[in-house]
Amino acid sequence: MLSYSPGESLGHRLDPRTKLAFQAVVAGVALAHTTPAWLLALTAVCWAALAGCRLAARETLAEYRGVLPFLVVAPLLEALRVGPPWLELGAAVDPALALYRSLLLLALAAAYVKTTSPRESRAAVVSVVPGKPGRYLGLGVALVFRYLPLLQADVRRLREAAWARLGDERRVDERVAHLAVGSLERAFDRADALSLAMRARCLSWNATAPALAFARGDYGVLCVAGALVAAGVVW
């Protein structure tokens, strides 16, 4: 499940601001340079980042198995033609490169979520965006990181319960409707429970955040990010 997992890896020890800056640099370079050579270099960088977080690439991308089919179908649709030659592979090159670039960014996002607690993410946003906007935005980020894993777990339990009742033998539209309605009901129930819990705990808009400080590993990662920026500008 795509949620925070405590650990002692390098990724866990990094300051959340460092990880956000690194993701922003990789995303900027990937959008500015879309050649296969650059994507190969960014693949090595992302692979090293996943290794530093002690995450396997296959398991990380498996977290997006619900999104991957929609990404893969884009190059196929671009290559299809109404008339002869019916399939033009050259037209699928650019969408395929964009798909691969998206996979790299999704892998980095999953590494961030796995190694950063919601409190740290909230503190990072508050420190970067000053004033009340930063506090509101930080609270929203923290709630999303806490809320989405619960929704994913609810959907998984609904699907497993349907399979246990031979739901896989029903028509596809019936299965989709059952899963969609059940997921919405669970989401509304979660939202009501969350609202009640926030009121019961007298939610503070300016809660005490964990102390953030850059360490030696953060400076190393920032140097790598700076090298990527410099290389992107030069080449």
Side-chain angles (χ1 to χ4, degrees):
M1 185 182 298
L2 192 58
S3 60
Y4 170 67
S5 299
E8 297 296 331
S9 67
L10 174 61
H12 287 86
R13 295 193 299 269
L14 290 177
D15 190 284
R17 294 170 294 181
T18 300
K19 290 181 277 190
L20 289 175
F22 184 77
Q23 289 186 84
V25 167
V26 173
V29 173
L31 292 174
H33 301 280
T34 59
T35 61
W38 267 100
L39 292 181
L40 183 61
L42 292 178
T43 300
V45 172
C46 294
W47 196 282
L50 291 178
C53 298
R54 297 178 185 175
L55 297 174
R58 180 179 299 179
E59 296 176 358
T60 302
L61 292 178
E63 300 285 356
Y64 298 103
R65 54 185 174 271
V67 180
L68 290 179
F70 297 97
L71 295 177
V72 173
V73 77
L76 299 178
L77 292 177
E78 190 68 22
L80 291 177
R81 294 293 180 266
V82 178
W86 303 105
L87 189 64
E88 187 177 346
L89 297 180
V93 173
D94 288 339
L97 293 177
L99 165 63
Y100 190 74
R101 183 171 62 242
S102 300
L103 293 179
L104 295 179
L105 299 181
L106 288 175
L108 281 183
Y112 175 86
V113 173
K114 287 283 188 179
T115 59
T116 311
S117 67
R119 292 185 69 243
E120 290 177 334
S121 296
R122 180 178 181 179
V125 173
V126 171
S127 65
V128 173
V129 183
K132 288 186 177 180
R135 293 198 293 270
Y136 285 119
L137 184 59
L139 177 62
V141 169
L143 290 178
V144 168
F145 281 167
R146 294 179 187 275
Y147 196 50
L148 281 183
L150 297 177
L151 294 180
Q152 287 180 324
D154 289 338
V155 173
R156 187 181 67 252
R157 283 194 291 267
L158 283 172
R159 188 169 60 247
E160 292 174 351
W163 288 345
R165 295 177 175 85
L166 301 180
D168 55 340
E169 297 182 0
R170 303 169 65 181
R171 297 201 315 269
V172 175
D173 58 335
E174 293 180 351
R175 283 182 283 173
V176 171
H178 172 75
L179 186 61
V181 172
S183 300
L184 286 176
E185 290 180 352
R186 295 290 181 90
F188 287 129
D189 291 341
R190 290 286 187 185
D192 292 337
L194 177 62
S195 175
L196 179 61
M198 292 167 64
R199 293 197 302 269
R201 292 175 174 84
C202 300
L203 177 69
S204 173
W205 297 100
N206 194 18
T208 302
L212 300 179
F214 292 107
R216 183 178 303 176
D218 293 286
Y219 294 117
V221 173
L222 291 176
C223 287
V224 174
L228 283 175
V229 173
V233 172
V234 173
W235 284 283

